[in-house]
Amino acid sequence: GRSLNNVSSTRISFREIASTGEGHDSPKSREESSLQPGSKTMPTKRWTQEQIENVHITHRKPEGFIDHFAYWTIQTIRFNFDIISGYAIFPKTEKTWLNRIVFLETVAGVPGSIGGTLRHLASLRRMKRDHGWIRTLLEEAENERMHLLTALQLKQPGLGFKLAVLISQGIFYNFFFVFN
């Protein structure tokens, strides 16, 4: 690996790199690439090693009501997830980690699924192309499902676990549908 002495001291944020449009698979604009037959319409960002090494994690303190509301919503969700998955209650064993992973993956596919559904409905209402976001969001949901299927090779949940998943998915799906 490279030593820290060789890394440039100029750090840039993800937003700065992403906003430049550098490194996409195709020089065509999103609009042009979406018209090509068989196109996935969303060019994949290719990061150089230098860009990867120069990204720094940023965080800003919440300001105003919306920021505080979002922050405490996430904190509440995390707290409840820690309780439901047994992470905050039981010792950290293979069983508690598997419970946590399986439960997380059953809920993790919901945002992509509902996002893809809502983008699809909006595209139908507006009678305009979506330029690849539907597919991208549904691919993310599919990716989370694959994580779940992998984790299920190690743990077969019981009826109570499956009921908790059903309730959680119902809450998350409706939350994202109403507040999107």
Side-chain angles (χ1 to χ4, degrees), residues 70-96:
Y71 177 80
W72 286 109
T73 299
I74 296 303
Q75 292 299 317
T76 302
I77 290 169
R78 169 70 192 270
F79 174 79
N80 288 318
F81 178 66
D82 287 350
I83 298 291
I84 291 169
S85 68
Y87 184 78
I89 301 169
F90 303 111
K92 309 316 183 263
T93 64
E94 180 181 346
K95 182 180 178 184
T96 57

PDB file of all heavy atoms in Angstrom, residues 70-96:
ATOM      1  N   ALA A  70     -34.443  15.219  10.957  1.00  0.00           N
ATOM      2  CA  ALA A  70     -33.819  14.119  10.207  1.00  0.00           C
ATOM      3  C   ALA A  70     -32.810  13.383  11.087  1.00  0.00           C
ATOM      4  O   ALA A  70     -32.783  12.144  11.118  1.00  0.00           O
ATOM      5  CB  ALA A  70     -33.142  14.662   8.951  1.00  0.00           C
ATOM      6  N   TYR A  71     -31.990  14.130  11.809  1.00  0.00           N
ATOM      7  CA  TYR A  71     -30.980  13.524  12.671  1.00  0.00           C
ATOM      8  C   TYR A  71     -31.630  12.628  13.727  1.00  0.00           C
ATOM      9  O   TYR A  71     -31.229  11.481  13.918  1.00  0.00           O
ATOM     10  CB  TYR A  71     -30.138  14.615  13.333  1.00  0.00           C
ATOM     11  CG  TYR A  71     -29.117  14.068  14.299  1.00  0.00           C
ATOM     12  CD1 TYR A  71     -27.916  13.538  13.827  1.00  0.00           C
ATOM     13  CD2 TYR A  71     -29.348  14.079  15.668  1.00  0.00           C
ATOM     14  CE1 TYR A  71     -26.977  13.029  14.707  1.00  0.00           C
ATOM     15  CE2 TYR A  71     -28.417  13.573  16.554  1.00  0.00           C
ATOM     16  CZ  TYR A  71     -27.236  13.047  16.071  1.00  0.00           C
ATOM     17  OH  TYR A  71     -26.318  12.540  16.955  1.00  0.00           O
ATOM     18  N   TRP A  72     -32.645  13.152  14.418  1.00  0.00           N
ATOM     19  CA  TRP A  72     -33.273  12.374  15.489  1.00  0.00           C
ATOM     20  C   TRP A  72     -34.138  11.242  14.948  1.00  0.00           C
ATOM     21  O   TRP A  72     -34.312  10.224  15.615  1.00  0.00           O
ATOM     22  CB  TRP A  72     -34.024  13.287  16.454  1.00  0.00           C
ATOM     23  CG  TRP A  72     -33.052  14.024  17.314  1.00  0.00           C
ATOM     24  CD1 TRP A  72     -32.739  15.351  17.269  1.00  0.00           C
ATOM     25  CD2 TRP A  72     -32.193  13.448  18.302  1.00  0.00           C
ATOM     26  NE1 TRP A  72     -31.744  15.635  18.174  1.00  0.00           N
ATOM     27  CE2 TRP A  72     -31.382  14.483  18.820  1.00  0.00           C
ATOM     28  CE3 TRP A  72     -32.009  12.166  18.795  1.00  0.00           C
ATOM     29  CZ2 TRP A  72     -30.427  14.265  19.809  1.00  0.00           C
ATOM     30  CZ3 TRP A  72     -31.045  11.950  19.778  1.00  0.00           C
ATOM     31  CH2 TRP A  72     -30.280  12.998  20.274  1.00  0.00           C
ATOM     32  N   THR A  73     -34.637  11.389  13.732  1.00  0.00           N
ATOM     33  CA  THR A  73     -35.364  10.279  13.108  1.00  0.00           C
ATOM     34  C   THR A  73     -34.420   9.105  12.892  1.00  0.00           C
ATOM     35  O   THR A  73     -34.739   7.958  13.231  1.00  0.00           O
ATOM     36  CB  THR A  73     -35.988  10.721  11.765  1.00  0.00           C
ATOM     37  OG1 THR A  73     -36.918  11.775  12.019  1.00  0.00           O
ATOM     38  CG2 THR A  73     -36.690   9.566  11.077  1.00  0.00           C
ATOM     39  N   ILE A  74     -33.242   9.385  12.355  1.00  0.00           N
ATOM     40  CA  ILE A  74     -32.253   8.331  12.117  1.00  0.00           C
ATOM     41  C   ILE A  74     -31.770   7.732  13.438  1.00  0.00           C
ATOM     42  O   ILE A  74     -31.618   6.514  13.564  1.00  0.00           O
ATOM     43  CB  ILE A  74     -31.067   8.860  11.283  1.00  0.00           C
ATOM     44  CG1 ILE A  74     -31.536   9.283   9.902  1.00  0.00           C
ATOM     45  CG2 ILE A  74     -29.948   7.833  11.195  1.00  0.00           C
ATOM     46  CD1 ILE A  74     -32.227   8.199   9.102  1.00  0.00           C
ATOM     47  N   GLN A  75     -31.537   8.577  14.437  1.00  0.00           N
ATOM     48  CA  GLN A  75     -31.116   8.070  15.743  1.00  0.00           C
ATOM     49  C   GLN A  75     -32.179   7.153  16.353  1.00  0.00           C
ATOM     50  O   GLN A  75     -31.858   6.122  16.946  1.00  0.00           O
ATOM     51  CB  GLN A  75     -30.808   9.232  16.703  1.00  0.00           C
ATOM     52  CG  GLN A  75     -29.585  10.034  16.319  1.00  0.00           C
ATOM     53  CD  GLN A  75     -28.325   9.197  16.316  1.00  0.00           C
ATOM     54  OE1 GLN A  75     -28.085   8.391  17.201  1.00  0.00           O
ATOM     55  NE2 GLN A  75     -27.510   9.391  15.286  1.00  0.00           N
ATOM     56  N   THR A  76     -33.446   7.531  16.191  1.00  0.00           N
ATOM     57  CA  THR A  76     -34.547   6.714  16.717  1.00  0.00           C
ATOM     58  C   THR A  76     -34.634   5.386  15.983  1.00  0.00           C
ATOM     59  O   THR A  76     -34.812   4.333  16.610  1.00  0.00           O
ATOM     60  CB  THR A  76     -35.883   7.483  16.597  1.00  0.00           C
ATOM     61  OG1 THR A  76     -35.759   8.715  17.315  1.00  0.00           O
ATOM     62  CG2 THR A  76     -37.045   6.677  17.137  1.00  0.00           C
ATOM     63  N   ILE A  77     -34.504   5.439  14.665  1.00  0.00           N
ATOM     64  CA  ILE A  77     -34.541   4.205  13.875  1.00  0.00           C
ATOM     65  C   ILE A  77     -33.390   3.289  14.294  1.00  0.00           C
ATOM     66  O   ILE A  77     -33.577   2.084  14.491  1.00  0.00           O
ATOM     67  CB  ILE A  77     -34.486   4.519  12.366  1.00  0.00           C
ATOM     68  CG1 ILE A  77     -35.796   5.170  11.917  1.00  0.00           C
ATOM     69  CG2 ILE A  77     -34.207   3.258  11.550  1.00  0.00           C
ATOM     70  CD1 ILE A  77     -35.749   5.751  10.511  1.00  0.00           C
ATOM     71  N   ARG A  78     -32.217   3.849  14.438  1.00  0.00           N
ATOM     72  CA  ARG A  78     -31.045   3.052  14.843  1.00  0.00           C
ATOM     73  C   ARG A  78     -31.257   2.449  16.228  1.00  0.00           C
ATOM     74  O   ARG A  78     -30.967   1.274  16.460  1.00  0.00           O
ATOM     75  CB  ARG A  78     -29.801   3.935  14.817  1.00  0.00           C
ATOM     76  CG  ARG A  78     -28.566   3.335  15.461  1.00  0.00           C
ATOM     77  CD  ARG A  78     -28.011   2.185  14.628  1.00  0.00           C
ATOM     78  NE  ARG A  78     -27.009   1.428  15.344  1.00  0.00           N
ATOM     79  CZ  ARG A  78     -25.714   1.672  15.330  1.00  0.00           C
ATOM     80  NH1 ARG A  78     -25.246   2.672  14.621  1.00  0.00           N
ATOM     81  NH2 ARG A  78     -24.891   0.913  16.010  1.00  0.00           N
ATOM     82  N   PHE A  79     -31.755   3.249  17.172  1.00  0.00           N
ATOM     83  CA  PHE A  79     -31.997   2.752  18.525  1.00  0.00           C
ATOM     84  C   PHE A  79     -32.980   1.580  18.500  1.00  0.00           C
ATOM     85  O   PHE A  79     -32.746   0.537  19.104  1.00  0.00           O
ATOM     86  CB  PHE A  79     -32.536   3.888  19.407  1.00  0.00           C
ATOM     87  CG  PHE A  79     -32.943   3.438  20.777  1.00  0.00           C
ATOM     88  CD1 PHE A  79     -31.980   3.234  21.762  1.00  0.00           C
ATOM     89  CD2 PHE A  79     -34.281   3.221  21.082  1.00  0.00           C
ATOM     90  CE1 PHE A  79     -32.362   2.817  23.025  1.00  0.00           C
ATOM     91  CE2 PHE A  79     -34.658   2.800  22.349  1.00  0.00           C
ATOM     92  CZ  PHE A  79     -33.695   2.601  23.320  1.00  0.00           C
ATOM     93  N   ASN A  80     -34.089   1.756  17.775  1.00  0.00           N
ATOM     94  CA  ASN A  80     -35.091   0.691  17.694  1.00  0.00           C
ATOM     95  C   ASN A  80     -34.544  -0.548  16.994  1.00  0.00           C
ATOM     96  O   ASN A  80     -34.836  -1.675  17.392  1.00  0.00           O
ATOM     97  CB  ASN A  80     -36.353   1.193  16.991  1.00  0.00           C
ATOM     98  CG  ASN A  80     -37.135   2.141  17.864  1.00  0.00           C
ATOM     99  OD1 ASN A  80     -37.288   1.916  19.055  1.00  0.00           O
ATOM    100  ND2 ASN A  80     -37.611   3.217  17.281  1.00  0.00           N
ATOM    101  N   PHE A  81     -33.748  -0.341  15.946  1.00  0.00           N
ATOM    102  CA  PHE A  81     -33.152  -1.474  15.248  1.00  0.00           C
ATOM    103  C   PHE A  81     -32.205  -2.235  16.173  1.00  0.00           C
ATOM    104  O   PHE A  81     -32.171  -3.475  16.170  1.00  0.00           O
ATOM    105  CB  PHE A  81     -32.426  -1.003  13.985  1.00  0.00           C
ATOM    106  CG  PHE A  81     -31.746  -2.128  13.251  1.00  0.00           C
ATOM    107  CD1 PHE A  81     -32.490  -3.132  12.658  1.00  0.00           C
ATOM    108  CD2 PHE A  81     -30.369  -2.185  13.175  1.00  0.00           C
ATOM    109  CE1 PHE A  81     -31.880  -4.181  11.991  1.00  0.00           C
ATOM    110  CE2 PHE A  81     -29.742  -3.220  12.507  1.00  0.00           C
ATOM    111  CZ  PHE A  81     -30.499  -4.219  11.912  1.00  0.00           C
ATOM    112  N   ASP A  82     -31.436  -1.511  16.982  1.00  0.00           N
ATOM    113  CA  ASP A  82     -30.529  -2.164  17.937  1.00  0.00           C
ATOM    114  C   ASP A  82     -31.312  -3.007  18.940  1.00  0.00           C
ATOM    115  O   ASP A  82     -30.869  -4.093  19.316  1.00  0.00           O
ATOM    116  CB  ASP A  82     -29.676  -1.125  18.673  1.00  0.00           C
ATOM    117  CG  ASP A  82     -28.595  -0.520  17.789  1.00  0.00           C
ATOM    118  OD1 ASP A  82     -28.371  -1.037  16.673  1.00  0.00           O
ATOM    119  OD2 ASP A  82     -27.993   0.488  18.218  1.00  0.00           O
ATOM    120  N   ILE A  83     -32.470  -2.525  19.360  1.00  0.00           N
ATOM    121  CA  ILE A  83     -33.305  -3.275  20.308  1.00  0.00           C
ATOM    122  C   ILE A  83     -33.929  -4.488  19.614  1.00  0.00           C
ATOM    123  O   ILE A  83     -33.832  -5.620  20.098  1.00  0.00           O
ATOM    124  CB  ILE A  83     -34.429  -2.379  20.890  1.00  0.00           C
ATOM    125  CG1 ILE A  83     -33.843  -1.196  21.663  1.00  0.00           C
ATOM    126  CG2 ILE A  83     -35.398  -3.186  21.744  1.00  0.00           C
ATOM    127  CD1 ILE A  83     -33.150  -1.546  22.945  1.00  0.00           C
ATOM    128  N   ILE A  84     -34.580  -4.252  18.467  1.00  0.00           N
ATOM    129  CA  ILE A  84     -35.288  -5.329  17.764  1.00  0.00           C
ATOM    130  C   ILE A  84     -34.345  -6.440  17.332  1.00  0.00           C
ATOM    131  O   ILE A  84     -34.674  -7.624  17.432  1.00  0.00           O
ATOM    132  CB  ILE A  84     -36.055  -4.762  16.542  1.00  0.00           C
ATOM    133  CG1 ILE A  84     -37.210  -3.892  17.017  1.00  0.00           C
ATOM    134  CG2 ILE A  84     -36.565  -5.868  15.634  1.00  0.00           C
ATOM    135  CD1 ILE A  84     -37.867  -3.087  15.921  1.00  0.00           C
ATOM    136  N   SER A  85     -33.154  -6.071  16.868  1.00  0.00           N
ATOM    137  CA  SER A  85     -32.216  -7.090  16.399  1.00  0.00           C
ATOM    138  C   SER A  85     -31.472  -7.776  17.548  1.00  0.00           C
ATOM    139  O   SER A  85     -30.731  -8.726  17.322  1.00  0.00           O
ATOM    140  CB  SER A  85     -31.204  -6.475  15.428  1.00  0.00           C
ATOM    141  OG  SER A  85     -30.347  -5.576  16.100  1.00  0.00           O
ATOM    142  N   GLY A  86     -31.686  -7.309  18.778  1.00  0.00           N
ATOM    143  CA  GLY A  86     -31.021  -7.903  19.929  1.00  0.00           C
ATOM    144  C   GLY A  86     -29.614  -7.398  20.154  1.00  0.00           C
ATOM    145  O   GLY A  86     -28.934  -7.799  21.104  1.00  0.00           O
ATOM    146  N   TYR A  87     -29.159  -6.501  19.315  1.00  0.00           N
ATOM    147  CA  TYR A  87     -27.785  -5.985  19.389  1.00  0.00           C
ATOM    148  C   TYR A  87     -27.529  -5.242  20.697  1.00  0.00           C
ATOM    149  O   TYR A  87     -26.446  -5.360  21.275  1.00  0.00           O
ATOM    150  CB  TYR A  87     -27.538  -5.076  18.188  1.00  0.00           C
ATOM    151  CG  TYR A  87     -26.148  -4.534  18.075  1.00  0.00           C
ATOM    152  CD1 TYR A  87     -25.119  -5.321  17.586  1.00  0.00           C
ATOM    153  CD2 TYR A  87     -25.859  -3.230  18.445  1.00  0.00           C
ATOM    154  CE1 TYR A  87     -23.827  -4.820  17.469  1.00  0.00           C
ATOM    155  CE2 TYR A  87     -24.580  -2.725  18.330  1.00  0.00           C
ATOM    156  CZ  TYR A  87     -23.570  -3.520  17.848  1.00  0.00           C
ATOM    157  OH  TYR A  87     -22.305  -3.022  17.728  1.00  0.00           O
ATOM    158  N   ALA A  88     -28.511  -4.491  21.162  1.00  0.00           N
ATOM    159  CA  ALA A  88     -28.335  -3.686  22.373  1.00  0.00           C
ATOM    160  C   ALA A  88     -28.636  -4.478  23.644  1.00  0.00           C
ATOM    161  O   ALA A  88     -28.322  -4.018  24.738  1.00  0.00           O
ATOM    162  CB  ALA A  88     -29.237  -2.457  22.324  1.00  0.00           C
ATOM    163  N   ILE A  89     -29.225  -5.656  23.491  1.00  0.00           N
ATOM    164  CA  ILE A  89     -29.684  -6.409  24.661  1.00  0.00           C
ATOM    165  C   ILE A  89     -28.787  -7.605  24.972  1.00  0.00           C
ATOM    166  O   ILE A  89     -28.373  -7.806  26.108  1.00  0.00           O
ATOM    167  CB  ILE A  89     -31.130  -6.906  24.445  1.00  0.00           C
ATOM    168  CG1 ILE A  89     -32.054  -5.720  24.200  1.00  0.00           C
ATOM    169  CG2 ILE A  89     -31.606  -7.740  25.615  1.00  0.00           C
ATOM    170  CD1 ILE A  89     -33.429  -6.104  23.721  1.00  0.00           C
ATOM    171  N   PHE A  90     -28.504  -8.387  23.935  1.00  0.00           N
ATOM    172  CA  PHE A  90     -27.793  -9.647  24.119  1.00  0.00           C
ATOM    173  C   PHE A  90     -26.300  -9.496  23.845  1.00  0.00           C
ATOM    174  O   PHE A  90     -25.877  -8.551  23.182  1.00  0.00           O
ATOM    175  CB  PHE A  90     -28.383 -10.721  23.186  1.00  0.00           C
ATOM    176  CG  PHE A  90     -29.847 -10.935  23.385  1.00  0.00           C
ATOM    177  CD1 PHE A  90     -30.750 -10.562  22.409  1.00  0.00           C
ATOM    178  CD2 PHE A  90     -30.334 -11.502  24.554  1.00  0.00           C
ATOM    179  CE1 PHE A  90     -32.112 -10.762  22.591  1.00  0.00           C
ATOM    180  CE2 PHE A  90     -31.682 -11.707  24.740  1.00  0.00           C
ATOM    181  CZ  PHE A  90     -32.570 -11.332  23.759  1.00  0.00           C
ATOM    182  N   PRO A  91     -25.509 -10.450  24.334  1.00  0.00           N
ATOM    183  CA  PRO A  91     -24.069 -10.416  24.019  1.00  0.00           C
ATOM    184  C   PRO A  91     -23.861 -10.527  22.502  1.00  0.00           C
ATOM    185  O   PRO A  91     -24.683 -11.093  21.796  1.00  0.00           O
ATOM    186  CB  PRO A  91     -23.512 -11.659  24.734  1.00  0.00           C
ATOM    187  CG  PRO A  91     -24.563 -12.107  25.677  1.00  0.00           C
ATOM    188  CD  PRO A  91     -25.868 -11.576  25.187  1.00  0.00           C
ATOM    189  N   LYS A  92     -22.746  -9.984  22.035  1.00  0.00           N
ATOM    190  CA  LYS A  92     -22.446 -10.000  20.598  1.00  0.00           C
ATOM    191  C   LYS A  92     -21.911 -11.382  20.232  1.00  0.00           C
ATOM    192  O   LYS A  92     -20.727 -11.657  20.346  1.00  0.00           O
ATOM    193  CB  LYS A  92     -21.417  -8.938  20.216  1.00  0.00           C
ATOM    194  CG  LYS A  92     -21.656  -7.511  20.681  1.00  0.00           C
ATOM    195  CD  LYS A  92     -23.050  -7.016  20.529  1.00  0.00           C
ATOM    196  CE  LYS A  92     -23.181  -5.582  20.941  1.00  0.00           C
ATOM    197  NZ  LYS A  92     -23.647  -5.334  22.289  1.00  0.00           N
ATOM    198  N   THR A  93     -22.808 -12.256  19.803  1.00  0.00           N
ATOM    199  CA  THR A  93     -22.427 -13.604  19.384  1.00  0.00           C
ATOM    200  C   THR A  93     -22.735 -13.762  17.900  1.00  0.00           C
ATOM    201  O   THR A  93     -23.336 -12.865  17.276  1.00  0.00           O
ATOM    202  CB  THR A  93     -23.230 -14.662  20.169  1.00  0.00           C
ATOM    203  OG1 THR A  93     -24.613 -14.514  19.836  1.00  0.00           O
ATOM    204  CG2 THR A  93     -23.033 -14.514  21.674  1.00  0.00           C
ATOM    205  N   GLU A  94     -22.347 -14.899  17.361  1.00  0.00           N
ATOM    206  CA  GLU A  94     -22.646 -15.172  15.950  1.00  0.00           C
ATOM    207  C   GLU A  94     -24.155 -15.106  15.704  1.00  0.00           C
ATOM    208  O   GLU A  94     -24.609 -14.555  14.703  1.00  0.00           O
ATOM    209  CB  GLU A  94     -22.110 -16.548  15.557  1.00  0.00           C
ATOM    210  CG  GLU A  94     -22.383 -16.902  14.107  1.00  0.00           C
ATOM    211  CD  GLU A  94     -21.868 -18.280  13.729  1.00  0.00           C
ATOM    212  OE1 GLU A  94     -21.077 -18.867  14.485  1.00  0.00           O
ATOM    213  OE2 GLU A  94     -22.288 -18.766  12.665  1.00  0.00           O
ATOM    214  N   LYS A  95     -24.935 -15.635  16.639  1.00  0.00           N
ATOM    215  CA  LYS A  95     -26.390 -15.649  16.481  1.00  0.00           C
ATOM    216  C   LYS A  95     -26.965 -14.233  16.453  1.00  0.00           C
ATOM    217  O   LYS A  95     -27.804 -13.909  15.602  1.00  0.00           O
ATOM    218  CB  LYS A  95     -27.031 -16.448  17.622  1.00  0.00           C
ATOM    219  CG  LYS A  95     -28.526 -16.544  17.505  1.00  0.00           C
ATOM    220  CD  LYS A  95     -29.132 -17.348  18.639  1.00  0.00           C
ATOM    221  CE  LYS A  95     -30.643 -17.360  18.492  1.00  0.00           C
ATOM    222  NZ  LYS A  95     -31.286 -18.038  19.599  1.00  0.00           N
ATOM    223  N   THR A  96     -26.511 -13.357  17.367  1.00  0.00           N
ATOM    224  CA  THR A  96     -27.058 -11.986  17.372  1.00  0.00           C
ATOM    225  C   THR A  96     -26.619 -11.218  16.136  1.00  0.00           C
ATOM    226  O   THR A  96     -27.380 -10.423  15.596  1.00  0.00           O
ATOM    227  CB  THR A  96     -26.661 -11.215  18.656  1.00  0.00           C
ATOM    228  OG1 THR A  96     -25.251 -11.196  18.781  1.00  0.00           O
ATOM    229  CG2 THR A  96     -27.306 -11.826  19.885  1.00  0.00           C
TER     230      THR A  96
END
